[in-house]
Amino acid sequence: MENPYMPYPVRIDDIEIATEDKSLKTFKFVFLNEGDEEKFAYHAGQFAELSIPGVGEIPIGIASSPVEKGFVKFTVFKTGVVTSHLHNMKVGDIMGLRGPLGNWYPWDKLENKNVVIIGGGFAFTTLRSSIIYMLDPANRSKFKNIDVVYGARSPGMLLYRDELFEWEKRNDINMHITVDSTDDPSWKYHTGFVPQIVEQNAPKADQDTYAIICGPPIMIKFTQPSLTQLGYKPHQIIMSLENRMKCGIGMCGRCNIGKELVCKDGPVFTLDEINQTPKEY
Amino acid sequence: MKFITIDKKNWTKGIDKSRGTYRLFGPVKDKNWCMIKELDGDILPDMEYNESVMSAKSVLFPQSETILNTSLNESVEDHHIMKRAKNDYTARAVLGIRPYDAKAIQLVKMNFDTKEYKDPYWCDAYEATTFVGMAITKPGPFDFSTSVDSGPFCEEGLDILLADLDDSFIAKILTPKGESFAAACGFDSTIDDKESQALFDILRKEAEKNINCRVETDKLKEKNLLDLHGASFWDDLAFSCINCGTCTYVCPTCWCFDIQDEAKLKESSRFRNWDTCMSPLFTRHATGHNPRGVKVQRVRQRFMHKLKYFLDKYDQGIMCVGCGRCVKSCPVNIDIREVCHTMNTYEKKD
Ligand SMILES: Cc1cc2nc3c(=O)[nH]c(=O)nc-3n(C[C@H](O)[C@H](O)[C@H](O)COP(=O)(O)OP(=O)(O)OC[C@H]3O[C@@H](n4cnc5c(N)ncnc54)[C@H](O)[C@@H]3O)c2cc1C
Ligand code: SF4
Ligand code: SF4
Ligand code: FES
């Protein structure tokens, strides 16, 4: 019997400070055992449990992309017991990785569609995974226009800055990077909150356009009206939820919204689906 | 299926004989309570008990159970690489489990034994266990098991069903597991099937007559989930609850758990503990945000899970076997029978 609680052993291969305030770090892991990377085959949008023996486990969205081989990456905000411990670990340390868990963004349904990606703060991890996946030469032709609205408090709080500015230069993706405010005179992108930038820059909805949004509850709340105004119907708005989790496999009972378990039936839902469940997220 | 008779004079000898092959669990008196425990040494099950405070769920799902462990000592090979904890899955039998508790285990099985994932700890324990049920002849005042597809003689989930005839037990052997257990005890005096079944039927009807409480659940399925969730009765209903969680711990069908890690002297283990949806910590995010931060949300969650979400999800009835433990144990008299009635008869006012 497969043991769904058993993590794959991994080694920390690299740690990168991701934001200027050092509250986020990106961890790169490699699998210790041959064959485990194949077993861990994942889709953009899934998450995993980072498992530190003696400390605990935390659900974290997979930030690397299925088209990147040889490693997996996660970007973690330091907040409580496990995340603080992880921030103190060093390259070479051994820990565990359990997954991949949950569903993913509906890549089949998104083929031949325009995709608008909207992210705020550090909830950009699985969106990075998604963008890398879509821009891969083998996949880019499967999608029509790609727009990205991504905002953070300040320029130094944007995740994956090098990649963002590189995408900005390409002509097969429309980047709309924004910060709440900045006193940097050389800042050449947007300033303003995500909902406002969405309203001004995101394409109007037609049947073939879908939006994926990920961010803090407050951003999601205020972005929805902007999307509605642009003509997006609830089934065209795709969201990823973050309920408190333990098992990640639908058994421990804590992450439900109505009869749906966010860890197993989600974390990705359309707004249409969410509208049919109690709003307990 | 066959029937055997067991003279009570031979009961202890038979049970003791089975200890060679089975770890035994059963009801034992503990101060003023009756608990389901492992029958260590020569402890015998109390087959005359009425109700146990806690159900038999702990035989498969201990209150605290180690699931993984590893060494944190870097000089040890395989340090920090988790391994499955070595738990004992040799054959075990629960003696005198009540039919509603055995049925509850079948409901819990839907959670732990699924198409996508199998919980190996629960499933291995389930495989290892023989369920020897004791039919209920004197139902307690809180028993409403007949309203929810169980009952004092319900056979669902049992390997053997015993009925007490003063000087002897009649045992209905229901499965090969039951057969092996009877053989291990040396219980082999078969008796006439038809007559025994007729006797079981009479006893069952007598027992069922003594259950005075009926709870209707027939309309729950057709109710709209969001209407029930948004109903105005939850505030009143939850008002007196003190969120002690007793109702969830005593319930044979509540399966929620927490996972925690512990490290002592460079040895670490990961274990799981029973948890309760009545606790605010159950759903609290690291940010402090809590989707069920208010008491009424948690009380609603417990009843909606049992009486609506589970029903809608599996279409196998409600997640309650009518044992009445939560009704009996609640310090403020919150009564699932009344809640069920309120939900079953709820009409949304526009
Ligand atoms: C699907 C999903 C994807 C996520 N992706 C990311 C990500 O990419 N980057 C990131 O920094 N954070 C992410 N989170 C949030 C992250 O899981 C929590 O910040 C983390 O669990 C906090 O753990 P802690 O031990 O430091 O906090 P404590 O407050 O000490 O929490 C104790 C335990 O409670 C549980 N818990 C607490 N808060 C949460 C929460 N918000 N969500 C789930 N479980 C929680 C965990 O099991 C945790 O170990 C994600 C959460 C989910 C559900
Ligand atoms: S036993 Fe009663 S008071 Fe305690 S949590 Fe349950 S309903 Fe509330
Ligand atoms: S909800 Fe109450 S009556 Fe129903 S099975 Fe659980 S403890 Fe028994
Ligand atoms: S995290 Fe355990 S059920 Fe979802």
Side-chain angles (χ1 to χ4, degrees):
Chain A
M1 198 185 306
E2 284 276 328
N3 187 344
Y5 299 98
M6 185 68 79
Y8 297 117
V10 291
R11 183 169 48 78
I12 302 181
D13 193 47
D14 189 33
I15 304 174
E16 218 180 296
I17 293 170
T19 51
E20 63 185 3
D21 71 348
K22 302 195 172 90
S23 65
L24 282 124
K25 287 187 180 175
T26 297
F27 296 84
K28 186 171 157 194
F29 298 104
V30 293
F31 290 93
L32 286 191
N33 298 330
E34 215 176 309
D36 284 355
E37 188 185 347
E38 285 69 40
K39 287 193 233 156
F40 192 84
Y42 59 94
H43 301 274
Q46 288 191 285
F47 70 97
E49 290 278 348
L50 304 192
S51 181
I52 307 177
V55 183
E57 285 190 314
I58 45 170
I60 301 290
I62 307 174
S64 52
S65 186
V67 295
E68 296 173 307
K69 301 291 177 200
F71 63 90
V72 280
K73 259 186 186 179
F74 298 84
T75 301
V76 180
F77 175 67
K78 179 174 162 179
T79 170
V81 177
V82 181
T83 51
S84 301
H85 187 95
L86 184 63
H87 269 242
N88 290 333
M89 287 173 71
K90 50 187 196 309
V91 171
D93 285 348
I94 306 294
M95 52 180 276
L97 186 59
R98 190 157 72 78
L101 300 168
N103 67 354
W104 48 90
Y105 300 120
W107 297 114
D108 290 342
K109 206 168 82 182
L110 294 173
E111 279 197 18
N112 296 315
K113 303 285 190 295
N114 304 309
V115 182
V116 183
I117 288 195
I118 303 165
F122 59 84
F124 196 65
T125 56
T126 59
L127 299 181
R128 174 199 181 265
S129 172
S130 303
I131 295 169
I132 303 263
Y133 169 75
M134 289 192 290
L135 291 181
D136 189 71
N139 297 327
R140 182 61 190 89
S141 61
K142 292 183 196 159
F143 305 97
K144 298 209 296 209
N145 296 338
I146 303 174
D147 279 77
V148 177
V149 179
Y150 174 40
R153 278 205 313 273
S154 59
M157 291 304 290
L158 288 163
L159 293 177
Y160 319 122
R161 278 180 303 276
D162 296 347
E163 287 171 329
L164 292 179
F165 301 136
E166 216 148 281
W167 296 333
E168 172 77 39
K169 291 186 210 129
R170 294 171 68 132
N171 55 12
D172 58 353
I173 179 167
N174 309 314
M175 297 296 295
H176 314 281
I177 305 170
T178 183
V179 292
D180 295 355
S181 66
T182 176
D183 44 21
D184 175 359
S186 67
W187 179 250
K188 46 183 197 263
Y189 311 102
H190 299 278
T191 31
F193 296 117
V194 168
Q196 173 200 341
I197 304 299
V198 167
E199 214 169 294
Q200 293 162 0
N201 296 279
K204 286 209 163 42
D206 60 19
Q207 273 190 13
D208 282 342
T209 306
Y210 285 78
I212 300 180
I213 71 178
C214 248
I218 185 91
M219 183 207 94
I220 292 185
K221 193 172 151 204
F222 289 109
T223 304
Q224 271 177 33
S226 307
L227 287 172
T228 309
Q229 206 166 17
L230 292 168
Y232 290 81
K233 302 270 179 323
H235 76 274
Q236 293 169 295
I237 302 177
I238 299 159
M239 292 162 54
S240 185
L241 300 184
E242 279 196 10
N243 276 21
R244 178 166 177 150
M245 295 182 183
K246 285 288 174 170
C247 71
I249 54 172
M251 288 181 184
C252 77
R254 82 195 51 241
C255 68
N256 73 301
I257 44 167
K259 64 183 165 56
E260 256 50 71
L261 292 157
V262 173
C263 68
K264 189 166 131 198
D265 307 315
V268 176
F269 297 94
T270 62
L271 182 57
D272 207 20
E273 289 164 337
I274 291 176
N275 285 341
Q276 290 160 44
T277 71
K279 300 238 169 325
E280 293 181 350
Y281 52 85
Chain B
M1 190 267 299
K2 67 175 183 191
F3 286 88
I4 55 178
T5 176
I6 304 164
D7 190 317
K8 283 195 183 170
K9 285 196 224 104
N10 300 328
W11 171 250
T12 303
K13 204 168 78 211
I15 292 303
D16 283 340
K17 195 168 162 211
S18 77
R19 292 181 201 265
T21 12
Y22 291 85
R23 278 170 72 192
L24 299 182
F25 293 77
V28 279
K29 278 211 189 71
D30 181 359
K31 299 186 191 108
N32 299 322
W33 311 107
C34 174
M35 302 295 269
I36 308 289
K37 288 193 171 169
E38 179 151 16
L39 305 172
D40 289 322
D42 54 0
I43 301 175
L44 286 168
D46 171 11
M47 299 301 275
E48 278 165 20
Y49 80 111
N50 276 324
E51 293 149 336
S52 57
V53 186
M54 305 295 274
S55 79
K57 76 175 167 186
S58 58
V59 176
L60 308 187
F61 177 41
Q63 206 159 344
S64 182
E65 176 177 32
T66 308
I67 58 173
L68 301 170
N69 41 35
T70 185
S71 173
L72 306 179
N73 182 344
E74 303 210 346
S75 61
V76 171
E77 198 194 341
D78 280 0
H79 67 88
H80 286 85
I81 297 181
M82 303 209 95
K83 288 133 208 117
R84 180 169 174 178
K86 291 203 172 41
N87 301 335
D88 179 357
Y89 297 105
T90 52
R92 57 180 96 166
V94 208
L95 305 178
I97 183 174
R98 293 305 193 184
Y100 46 59
D101 281 354
K103 156 121 189 169
I105 285 171
Q106 295 302 307
L107 301 186
V108 173
K109 189 169 190 286
M110 291 181 214
N111 185 56
F112 286 123
D113 185 356
T114 70
K115 246 192 0 264
E116 298 101 323
Y117 297 108
K118 298 199 185 311
D119 183 295
Y121 309 94
W122 193 93
C123 290
D124 285 352
Y126 179 80
E127 274 310 305
T129 308
T130 302
F131 299 93
V132 183
M134 184 76 219
I136 298 177
T137 43
K138 294 189 204 72
F142 301 101
D143 186 329
F144 60 103
S145 55
T146 43
S147 296
V148 288
D149 297 329
S150 180
F153 276 69
C154 176
E155 293 169 6
E156 203 180 331
L158 287 173
D159 298 301
I160 297 179
L161 177 61
L162 298 171
D164 191 339
L165 298 187
D166 294 336
D167 298 333
S168 64
F169 294 117
I170 299 189
K172 186 173 182 181
I173 312 290
L174 299 159
T175 66
K177 264 187 178 176
E179 197 138 352
S180 307
F181 182 75
C185 297
F187 296 145
D188 57 3
S189 333
T190 45
I191 42 172
D192 185 76
D193 290 352
K194 273 214 187 83
E195 275 175 33
S196 310
Q197 186 58 54
L199 183 58
F200 261 52
D201 289 341
I202 294 169
L203 291 170
R204 175 175 56 80
K205 283 192 189 118
E206 275 302 309
E208 286 178 357
K209 259 199 289 189
N210 289 321
I211 296 183
N212 305 318
C213 161
R214 173 113 207 126
V215 179
E216 299 304 338
T217 59
D218 56 320
K219 298 204 172 57
L220 290 168
K221 182 91 201 178
E222 70 203 40
K223 302 281 174 209
N224 177 285
L225 188 150
L226 287 180
D227 287 349
L228 279 179
H229 188 270
S232 56
F233 58 73
W234 294 112
D235 278 317
D236 275 351
L237 200 152
F239 180 72
S240 57
C241 174
I242 56 170
N243 268 193
C244 64
T246 303
C247 50
T248 58
Y249 298 127
V250 298
C251 180
T253 70
C254 276
W255 62 60
C256 290
F257 60 88
D258 187 20
I259 301 177
Q260 289 291 339
D261 277 51
E262 196 177 68
K264 267 187 220 145
L265 301 172
K266 298 268 168 206
E267 291 305 312
S268 79
S269 39
R270 178 161 298 158
F271 49 95
R272 68 153 157 225
N273 301 326
W274 289 358
D275 206 345
T276 172
C277 57
M278 288 298 187
S279 157
L281 282 180
F282 193 62
T283 48
R284 206 187 84 105
H285 294 199
T287 54
H289 172 69
N290 196 338
R292 290 197 285 268
V294 180
K295 175 174 75 178
V296 59
Q297 296 170 322
R298 300 192 285 274
V299 173
R300 175 172 59 193
Q301 161 66 16
R302 172 168 145 81
F303 291 115
M304 285 293 281
H305 188 205
K306 292 203 168 295
L307 306 176
K308 184 62 182 167
Y309 303 154
F310 181 88
L311 176 69
D312 282 8
K313 181 162 176 166
Y314 298 103
D315 201 14
Q316 304 273 329
I318 60 172
M319 189 184 149
C320 166
V321 292
C323 71
R325 285 187 182 92
C326 59
V327 185
K328 189 176 177 182
S329 316
C330 177
V332 300
N333 297 329
I334 290 176
D335 188 333
I336 190 168
R337 299 171 299 183
E338 288 166 20
V339 181
C340 189
H341 175 75
T342 306
M343 288 171 68
N344 198 53
T345 54
Y346 177 71
E347 296 297 339
K348 189 181 176 192
K349 293 178 212 75
D350 299 302

